[in-house]
């Protein structure tokens, strides 16, 4: 593990150098929130989908963190009920991107580069980001602790050749509520699958009192800090081409408190077994030849 990767991850857990401004997407016709650096032109942007029984307000710290590192970050505040439409949330993410790329933001001195945009989300919002990416090409997709959606993300993923980051908790990546492994195995483009040590899929969200009371939505500050650092590092490389963050887009790189995961270890083991069987068959042929010569 390089010293630079360690130091960069530690750096990205803290707010960046930019002063952050906040706004309301509703003025452009889409309920939601937007955060921007104080100024900047041709900036990268992220449309972020919220998780189940959450809203844009639960992700304000993450969105502000992205903005402090030079990204325009926005989240639609729709589909908050117990029976949400994942397809509608995906459409709202695309509408959000249209707003970000189509108008001047902040105090009129912030613009977004139309080719430096990403779709991201948490839980069902991650699945909605995948659904949206199947309808429109973007620079990158970030699925944070993805949950199952309708339509299923893994059914769309083979036709999506966009670079993607999938983050999961190492405590529940194989649980029935996580869609990280099926999505990663099906993804059609370059992929990084990474688990956060000691994290659960609900840990990055604060303020979900109902789920917390049921024991299903406990906030994990460490998970939140590490996840937002992974997100900023990955998008800094994929959207801006900043090579000092290349390790964040390397599927085999070692980063502190995380583990790079091969989504297809079974296939790799089968290939090794087939190779071994081929070698065994070869030895058997030699033995047979030797017997015939006797």
């Amino acid at each position: 593990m390089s010293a630079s990767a360690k130091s960069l991850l530690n750096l990205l857990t803290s707010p960046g150098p930019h002063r952050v401004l906040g706004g309301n997407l509703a003025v452009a016709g889409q309920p939601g929130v937007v955060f921007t650096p104080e100024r900047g032109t041709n900036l990268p942007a992220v449309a972020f989908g919220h998780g189940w029984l959450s809203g844009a307000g639960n992700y304000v710290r993450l969105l502000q963190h992205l903005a402090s590192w030079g990204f325009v970050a926005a989240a639609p505040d729709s589909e908050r009920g117990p029976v949400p439409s994942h397809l509608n949330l995906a459409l709202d993410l695309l509408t959000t991107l249209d707003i970000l790329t189509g108008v001047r933001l902040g105090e009129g001195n912030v613009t977004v580069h139309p080719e430096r945009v990403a779709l991201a989300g948490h839980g069902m919002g991650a699945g909605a980001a995948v659904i949206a990416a199947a309808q429109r090409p973007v620079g990158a997709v970030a699925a944070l602790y993805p949950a199952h959606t309708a339509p299923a993300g893994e059914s769309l993923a083979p036709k999506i050749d966009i670079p993607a980051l999938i983050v999961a908790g190492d405590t529940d990546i194989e649980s029935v509520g996580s869609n990280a492994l099926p999505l990663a195995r099906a993804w059609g483009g370059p992929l990084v699958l990474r688990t956060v040590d000691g994290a659960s899929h609900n840990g990055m969200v604060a303020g979900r009192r109902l789920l917390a009371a049921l024991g299903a939505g406990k906030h994990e500050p460490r998970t939140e800090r590490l996840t937002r650092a992974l997100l900023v590092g990955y998008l800094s490389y994929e959207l801006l081409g900043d090579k000092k963050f290349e390790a964040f887009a390397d599927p085999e790189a070692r980063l502190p408190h995380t583990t790079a995961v091969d989504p297809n270890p079974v296939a790799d083991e089968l290939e090794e077994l087939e190779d071994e069987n081929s070698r065994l068959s070869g030895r058997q042929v030699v033995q047979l030849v030797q017997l015939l010569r006797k």
Side-chain angles (χ1 to χ4, degrees):
M1 186 186 303
S2 67
S4 60
K6 290 181 181 179
S7 59
L8 282 173
L9 187 68
N10 289 333
L11 176 66
L12 294 178
T13 59
S14 299
H18 296 278
R19 179 172 174 257
V20 175
L21 302 179
N24 191 340
L25 285 177
V27 298
Q30 171 64 58
V33 296
V34 58
F35 295 92
T36 74
E38 186 174 18
R39 60 179 60 86
T41 58
N42 290 323
L43 297 178
V46 185
F48 190 90
H50 63 77
W52 182 59
L53 290 181
S54 299
N58 295 98
Y59 299 87
V60 165
R61 286 192 302 218
L62 173 63
L63 300 173
Q64 290 175 332
H65 190 79
L66 284 163
S68 75
W69 283 102
F71 294 84
V72 173
D77 197 28
S78 55
E79 304 304 325
R80 298 175 57 179
V83 188
S85 167
H86 306 137
L87 182 58
N88 285 346
L89 182 56
L91 294 174
D92 289 341
L93 286 170
L94 294 177
T95 298
T96 298
L97 283 185
D98 288 338
I99 295 170
L100 298 184
T101 56
V103 302
R104 287 185 171 271
L105 303 165
E107 297 177 352
N109 54 2
V110 175
T111 62
V112 169
H113 194 294
E115 296 181 1
R116 294 176 178 171
V117 296
L119 290 159
H122 168 244
M124 76 164 191
V130 172
I131 296 170
Q135 301 177 52
R136 182 185 304 180
V138 292
V141 172
L144 310 179
Y145 312 89
H148 298 278
T149 55
E154 62 269 30
S155 70
L156 304 171
K159 296 182 179 180
I160 304 175
D161 61 359
I162 298 167
L165 169 69
I166 300 177
V167 178
D170 75 342
T171 66
D172 56 12
I173 186 174
E174 297 185 22
S175 70
V176 294
S178 173
N179 199 36
L181 285 173
L183 185 61
R185 289 168 182 155
W187 197 259
L191 172 76
V192 176
L193 173 60
R194 192 171 292 277
T195 59
V196 175
D197 297 348
S200 67
H201 66 282
N202 279 317
M204 65 170 285
V205 187
R208 297 203 291 187
R209 294 184 179 90
L210 176 59
L211 288 182
L214 297 173
K218 183 179 179 182
H219 179 227
E220 300 164 3
R222 178 176 173 276
T223 297
E224 181 185 14
R225 291 193 302 271
L226 288 170
T227 302
R228 67 192 185 193
L230 292 173
L231 180 60
V232 171
Y234 181 80
L235 294 179
S236 294
Y237 179 77
E238 291 294 348
L239 296 186
L240 298 173
D242 193 330
K243 292 189 179 299
K244 69 173 176 284
F245 296 106
E246 187 173 8
F248 290 81
D250 183 343
E252 299 180 354
R254 297 178 60 193
L255 297 175
H257 314 298
T258 74
T259 301
V261 178
D262 179 358
N264 296 300
V266 175
D268 294 341
E269 291 171 4
L270 286 175
E271 184 176 344
E272 292 176 4
L273 183 60
E274 289 173 358
D275 291 342
E276 181 64 23
N277 286 339
S278 297
R279 290 192 292 272
L280 289 173
S281 298
R283 287 199 296 270
Q284 290 172 346
V285 169
V286 171
Q287 291 170 355
L288 179 58
V289 171
Q290 291 173 340
L291 287 172
L292 290 172
R293 287 176 176 174
K294 289 182 179 180

